[in-house]
Amino acid sequence: MPQDANAIRSILTLAPVVPVIILDDVSKARPLAEALVAGGLPILEVTLRTPNALKVMEEMAKVTGAIVGSGTVRNSVHMRASVDVGCRFMVSPGASPRLLDAADDVSIPLLPGIGTPTEAMAAAERGYSFLKFFPAEALGGAPVLKAFASPLPDITFCPTGGIDAVKAKTYLSLPNVICVGGSWVMPNDAIESGDFARIETLAREASALRG
C-alpha cells in the first residue's frame, strides 16, 4: 500500500516546524506538549531513543490539540508500539525495503528518511510522495533540496537534522519543503528546569516562521 499522502499532508501542513523530542522523564511529557501546542506547534515527533519514549508518547497524546508521532522508527515492532500508544504518524531515519514493507500493514502513515536522489526515487516508486531529508545540514542543507526540486517535482520534503530558527526560514522558502523538524524550540536546560513558558515562547516564534 502506498503512503497515504492526504493523511500525512494534513498533519505536516498544520505547522511549519515539527519539534523533534528526545525525552525520558515522563513527568515532563504533558507540560512540554502543552507548551508546544499553546505556542502553535501541535505536531510532536517523539523519538524512540529513550527507555521511556513510549510512555512519553502516551502522555503527550492525552494533551488536547497534540498530534503525536513516533520518531526513529526502524522496524515493525516500533510501528506496532507506536499505534498502541496513540501515535498518529511515524518517522524513520531511513527507507529500507523491509521498513517500507512493514509500513504497508500499519494504519498510520510513515514519513521515511532519505539522503540521496536514488533513495528518493526508490521511495517514490513505492508510492511515497512525502519524505524526510535527513540529516539535512550534514548532507548539504537547503541548496541540495533546491537542486532536488526540478528533477524530483513530485516529492515534498521535511528536512531534519542540524536545523535552527535561522536555517529553518531558508528551508521553508523552498517550494518542495512542507515543514522542518528541529529541537531548538525546547532547549534541554528549559526542560530540566521546567521553564515551559520559555518553550512556549520559542514555539510561538517558530510557528510564525512561514510566511
Side-chain angles (χ1 to χ4, degrees):
M1 182 179 76
Q3 180 187 50
D4 187 339
N6 288 333
I8 198 73
R9 182 190 295 110
S10 68
I11 292 170
L12 298 181
T13 52
L14 291 174
V17 177
V18 177
V20 179
I21 301 164
I22 304 173
L23 183 65
D24 195 49
D25 186 345
V26 180
S27 70
K28 301 284 179 65
R30 292 188 73 164
L32 175 57
E34 288 166 354
L36 292 168
V37 171
L41 301 181
I43 320 162
L44 311 177
E45 178 192 336
V46 181
T47 63
L48 288 163
R49 301 184 199 176
T50 67
N52 288 318
L54 290 170
K55 293 179 181 177
V56 168
M57 294 174 197
E58 198 166 22
E59 285 301 301
M60 288 189 166
K62 297 174 184 176
V63 173
T64 301
I67 298 172
V68 179
S70 55
T72 322
V73 170
R74 295 185 56 191
N75 52 54
S76 60
V77 174
H78 289 163
M79 292 180 175
R80 288 194 296 270
S82 300
V83 173
D84 289 344
V85 297
C87 288
R88 304 269 295 278
F89 66 98
M90 306 172 294
V91 184
S92 63
S96 71
R98 183 175 293 180
L99 185 79
L100 299 186
D101 286 343
D104 287 345
D105 299 320
V106 180
S107 59
I108 58 176
L110 172 69
L111 182 71
I114 64 92
T116 67
T118 297
E119 292 172 353
M121 289 170 61
E125 288 171 4
R126 292 288 300 266
Y128 283 78
S129 53
F130 289 87
L131 300 171
K132 169 182 174 177
F133 179 57
F134 175 82
E137 283 296 296
L139 291 175
V144 173
L145 279 183
K146 185 176 182 180
F148 280 5
S150 181
L152 304 172
D154 53 326
I155 303 175
T156 303
F157 297 93
C158 171
T160 302
I163 299 175
D164 57 23
V166 174
K167 292 170 183 172
K169 196 152 192 176
T170 302
Y171 281 103
L172 292 167
S173 69
L174 300 176
N176 58 343
V177 170
I178 190 169
C179 61
V180 303
S183 57
W184 80 88
V185 294
M186 54 213 161
N188 286 332
D189 60 334
I191 295 175
E192 290 170 6
S193 65
D195 190 354
F196 297 108
R198 177 184 169 200
I199 292 172
E200 182 179 337
T201 297
L202 289 169
R204 186 168 290 110
E205 292 170 355
S207 71
L209 281 175
R210 193 189 297 278

